[in-house]
Amino acid sequence: MITDVEAGTPTLCRLQLGNELRALRIALDLTARQVCKKLIWSPSKLSRLEAGENSSVEPAEIMALCEIYGADPELRAKLVGYAAVTKTKKDWWQSAEYRPVIQPGAKAFFGLESTATVLQTYEAEFVPGLLQTEAYIRAIYKRAHAGMSPYDVDKLVTIRTTRQEVLHRKKSPLKYTAILNEAVLRRVIGSPGLMREQLAHIVHLVESRPNVRVQVVPYAAGVHPGMNGTFFVLHFPERAALKPLVYLENLAAAWVIRQDDAIERYEDAFADLSALAAGPQESLNLIRTAIEEHRT
């Protein structure tokens, strides 16, 4: 539980609010449909609220829900406080400058990423965003966003480099573990020189930041649990009493998985990948070998 509501980030407050509202509803054995009927809401509205997906929440609507659930005055004040934070505070990526170039699914992930204390990811195709150099970012966007104005590309680059600050924040830097398919090291993005710079950056981060860990799944490992694609497992501050979440994305959509059994499968897959991958030091050696191979 967040002890100081006003100190919470908007994302953390939305997640905590949704978590507690859902718990109140379930404790009364009420279905979402029953609650929505009382408030003349669409089912999707309550679903998004309980999932913490709304960018802001109206305090008056929380008061209406608290009335239905019979929440005591202290709990009502806390939940309304959460809603107030979402109205008065905005995350940096919600600014008018960046909002037009960010996809909705990405905004949801930025909030989760900035709030998480632990982030574990498996990446099969390219260097994960938190480890990318600016040149690598630009090379990817040049291909992925052909036709976008240079001005908007600059915004996207700034967004990604700003996101990387979670690894360097003074208070509780993100504990980040990335497991990479060996193909990530071999695929040339931009140019061989750019790849050498990118891979050297990964080595530097791992050696200079104790909160950053990188492992590589070598080709020799054969079939492995990450062959269905990239995924992210996020853990949140203990004080928030929030369960881990899994984030997935593809060309058409992005979504968050909240079901306990599905999350457990992804956590098990990540643990299996970690055991199957080369160890941290051996992985750095594989990255250094790839750096030299990009010289030829």
Side-chain angles (χ1 to χ4, degrees), residues 5-273:
V5 172
E6 292 184 356
T9 66
T11 298
L12 188 56
C13 285
R14 289 195 300 269
L15 290 171
Q16 186 66 34
L17 175 61
N19 191 53
E20 297 210 27
L21 288 173
R22 184 173 184 273
L24 285 171
R25 178 176 61 77
I26 291 174
L28 292 175
D29 199 26
L30 289 171
T31 67
R33 184 174 296 277
Q34 288 172 321
V35 174
C36 289
K37 188 175 181 180
K38 290 176 181 289
L39 295 172
I40 319 178
W41 285 5
S42 67
S44 63
K45 181 172 182 175
L46 183 60
S47 175
R48 288 178 57 81
L49 181 58
E50 291 187 8
E53 294 177 350
N54 294 324
S55 59
S56 65
V57 181
E58 294 295 336
E61 293 181 341
I62 301 309
M63 285 296 293
L65 284 170
C66 286
E67 189 68 29
I68 292 173
Y69 299 152
D72 63 55
E74 182 178 355
L75 180 56
R76 291 187 189 207
K78 182 178 68 173
L79 298 184
V80 170
Y82 288 147
V85 169
T86 73
K87 297 288 288 184
T88 57
K89 288 186 178 180
K90 295 296 179 185
D91 296 301
W92 60 265
W93 58 87
Q94 297 285 1
S95 69
E97 179 182 6
Y98 298 128
R99 194 164 54 242
V101 297
I102 304 177
Q103 297 298 317
K107 292 176 185 177
F109 179 68
F110 293 171
L112 297 175
E113 181 183 72
S114 67
T115 302
T117 53
V118 175
L119 175 56
Q120 302 166 322
T121 184
Y122 169 72
E123 179 54 66
E125 297 298 331
F126 53 82
V127 173
L130 294 184
L131 303 178
Q132 293 174 359
T133 64
E134 181 175 332
Y136 190 94
I137 297 168
R138 287 187 180 280
I140 289 177
Y141 282 145
K142 183 178 180 180
R143 173 65 179 83
H145 298 283
M148 180 177 283
S149 72
Y151 179 68
D152 283 341
V153 170
D154 285 344
K155 288 182 182 178
L156 289 173
V157 172
T158 300
I159 288 167
R160 182 154 294 185
T161 55
T162 302
R163 283 172 51 208
Q164 295 172 354
E165 293 177 3
V166 295
L167 300 178
H168 306 280
R169 58 195 181 201
K170 292 183 179 180
K171 185 177 181 182
S172 302
L174 179 70
K175 294 181 180 178
Y176 182 62
T177 300
I179 299 180
L180 313 180
N181 189 303
E182 185 176 352
V184 172
L185 312 184
R186 308 297 178 188
R187 179 172 291 107
V188 177
I189 304 294
S191 68
L194 190 156
M195 285 304 301
R196 293 196 301 271
E197 178 188 90
Q198 172 61 76
L199 297 179
H201 177 67
I202 295 175
V203 173
H204 171 70
L205 275 176
V206 172
E207 292 185 331
S208 63
R209 303 295 309 179
N211 56 307
V212 177
R213 176 188 176 106
V214 174
Q215 290 182 258
V216 177
V217 179
Y219 291 139
V223 177
H224 60 78
M227 297 186 79
N228 286 327
T230 297
F231 63 89
F232 303 80
V233 181
L234 303 104
H235 296 255
F236 300 96
E238 290 185 8
R239 72 184 189 278
L242 294 169
K243 296 179 180 179
L245 298 175
V246 169
Y247 176 80
L248 304 173
E249 63 182 11
N250 58 31
L251 283 175
W255 61 100
V256 176
I257 294 179
R258 304 172 187 276
Q259 295 85 358
D260 291 344
D261 58 341
I263 291 171
E264 185 176 354
R265 287 177 62 188
Y266 277 100
E267 288 184 317
D268 289 345
F270 192 85
D272 290 345
L273 279 166

